[in-house]
Every structure is written in C-alpha cells, then in structure tokens.
Amino acid sequence: MADAENRSPHWSTYADNTLVHDVCGGIRLIDEFGASDPVDTIALSIAGAEAAEALTEALEDEWALYTPEQVTATASAVLSQLEGTLANLRALKTTVERMEARKETAFTDAARDHLEHMAAAVDFACGFAPGVISALENLPQLVELPADAHEVLTAVAGLLGPDAVFQAVHEPGAYEEDDSGFGCGCQVLITHRGEVWNLHRGDSTWSMTRDSDGDHRPDGSTSFRSWVDLGPSSTTTHPEHLAEEVRLTLAPPT
C-alpha cells in the first residue's frame, strides 16, 4: 500500500476519503501489521484482482467519472497498479527461487522465461505512463460543476422542466456547506402523472419521496413509510446524472 509520501499527487487527495478508507480497510490492516503467512499474501493478490475487475465494471457506467481531473486521478492509480504488477512479477520470481533454494521446487526454464518475458512487457508498458498522465492532465474541462448541494438542486430543477419547482428554505447566498450530509434543506417538487414527488438531500443521500406515501400530521409535519434513494451520493453530483436518476424513478424502463 502506498503511504502518504509515495502516493501519486493525482490521487493522494482521495486516499483518505471515508469510502476509500472503508474499501481499502482490510488491505491497509494487513499492510500495517505485515503479511504473516501465505493466507495474507494470497488475500492481497485476490483483493487486487477483484478491485481491478470491479473497476472495469464501474468504468462502463456513463457517469463513472465527471471531470478530466477525476479521469487523471483514476488513470494515475491504474498506472500505479501497473508498476505494482511489474514489482510483483519480479517478486514472484524471487519467491520461487527461495523455494528452490529450500529444495521445495525446481524452477523450470519455461516458467522462468514466461515470468521474465511478462515482466519485460509490463516494464515496457510502464514507460508510457508519464505520457498518458501528461496528456490527460491537459484535457480541458468544459463544464463547471456545482459547488454544493444547493447548487445541485437548483440545476436539477432547471433540467427537469416546468413540472419541477425549486423550493428554497434559506435566503440566497446564506447557505454554507457542512459535513452533516443533509445539504441545505431546500427541495425540488416534481409533479408526475398527478403525483407530487419531493427531491431532497437526505442522510448523505439524494432521495425522493412521494406525497401520497406520507402520513400528514395535524402539526403540519409529514412522515414517510417509504422513499427512494438515488444512485449518486456526493453533494457535488453532476446535475445531469441526478436528473437522469430522477427520470428513471418516475418512469422506470419497461
């Protein structure tokens, strides 16, 4: 695991994100105390393989990344994996040589040649990494994303058209982003097929409730038996992404 001093500057700012920490928690735990036996070693190798497969699936989504900066950060991490692969291929060769020295196996010429040839191929590929990162760093960002949850809601209301009404609960400019996960309290009311839906920022989640599902109390408050949590979670979600999730909730594909 790359420590703070060795992390790429392109993805170091994300490395201590809560979700990143949760996803990498098991790997970091083994890294902190050291792999003590083959079970730990194999677990690390499988975790890396599963992460690579999951990343491939994630990148197939239209909204996998929003900005060139995020593309560069992801590419930098992927290329760091490539460098790690090279180091691991060389380490595997050394591991077999240790086993051979203990007379636990014998290194065949075929196995040695395949490892060396693969390492040479990966080493050659690593040479292109600086050029890839440089090219991605220079991609222009042509869209300015919202700075906070309030701006996201405002933009989504505009994207959803006349059936969506933005309702503010604070004076313009009075909202300051905090870390509560509940946004600014504003909401977007959407009328669809005679039903009124409420889009708002919930507990670190973008959620929708339908008015007819609510229990309306005499004091004016409403509690809901059910709601829909939308896919994106960030307070700076791309408005088009969130608007697409809203449309799918209102009219799911048949």
Side-chain angles (χ1 to χ4, degrees), residues 229-253:
D229 288 336
L230 304 180
S233 60
S234 170
T235 55
T236 54
T237 293
H238 197 302
E240 289 278 8
H241 185 186
L242 190 56
E244 182 179 284
E245 291 284 318
V246 171
R247 295 186 189 103
L248 287 173
T249 298
L250 297 175

Side-chain angles (χ1 to χ4, degrees), residues 211-224:
D211 189 65
S212 60
D213 292 332
D215 294 323
H216 302 281
R217 298 169 178 170
D219 63 2
S221 64
T222 303
S223 63
F224 288 90

Side-chain angles (χ1 to χ4, degrees), residues 150 170-175:
H150 179 82
H170 57 79
E171 295 296 322
Y175 170 64

Side-chain angles (χ1 to χ4, degrees), residues 166-234:
F166 180 76
Q167 288 193 338
V169 298
H170 57 79
E171 295 296 322
Y175 170 64
E176 292 185 6
E177 188 79 73
D178 59 32
D179 59 0
S180 67
F182 285 90
C184 63
C186 298
Q187 58 193 11
V188 178
L189 299 183
I190 308 155
T191 303
H192 178 73
R193 295 180 180 175
E195 296 270 16
V196 177
W197 293 76
N198 180 313
L199 170 66
H200 57 279
R201 179 74 180 168
D203 185 5
S204 298
T205 306
W206 295 105
S207 298
M208 292 177 65
T209 54
R210 184 167 50 187
D211 189 65
S212 60
D213 292 332
D215 294 323
H216 302 281
R217 298 169 178 170
D219 63 2
S221 64
T222 303
S223 63
F224 288 90
R225 300 182 299 275
S226 63
W227 59 88
V228 178
D229 288 336
L230 304 180
S233 60
S234 170

Side-chain angles (χ1 to χ4, degrees), residues 7-14 69 72-74 76 133 137:
R7 291 172 184 158
S8 163
H10 302 288
W11 51 274
S12 61
T13 55
Y14 298 91
E69 182 272 335
T72 304
T74 303
S76 176
I133 295 301
E137 280 182 309

Side-chain angles (χ1 to χ4, degrees), residues 127-138:
F128 292 93
V132 171
I133 295 301
S134 178
L136 292 175
E137 280 182 309
N138 291 317

Side-chain angles (χ1 to χ4, degrees), residues 81-201:
Q81 293 175 40
L82 191 62
E83 294 171 350
T85 297
L86 175 60
N88 289 333
L89 287 171
R90 289 170 172 167
L92 280 170
K93 178 174 177 289
T94 300
T95 297
V96 176
E97 288 172 344
R98 292 196 192 103
M99 295 172 67
E100 187 175 41
R102 296 196 300 264
K103 302 188 183 307
E104 295 170 350
T105 191
F107 219 151
T108 65
D109 291 340
R112 188 188 303 273
D113 289 346
H114 282 307
L115 273 175
E116 290 178 349
H117 291 159
M118 181 170 286
V122 175
D123 192 18
F124 177 76
C126 286
F128 292 93
V132 171
I133 295 301
S134 178
L136 292 175
E137 280 182 309
N138 291 317
L139 291 176
Q141 180 165 326
L142 304 179
V143 176
E144 189 69 29
L145 292 179
D148 54 41
H150 179 82
E151 289 188 9
V152 171
L153 282 173
T154 304
V156 170
L159 290 170
L160 294 176
D163 291 333
V165 178
F166 180 76
Q167 288 193 338
V169 298
H170 57 79
E171 295 296 322
Y175 170 64
E176 292 185 6
E177 188 79 73
D178 59 32
D179 59 0
S180 67
F182 285 90
C184 63
C186 298
Q187 58 193 11
V188 178
L189 299 183
I190 308 155
T191 303
H192 178 73
R193 295 180 180 175
E195 296 270 16
V196 177
W197 293 76
N198 180 313
L199 170 66
H200 57 279
R201 179 74 180 168

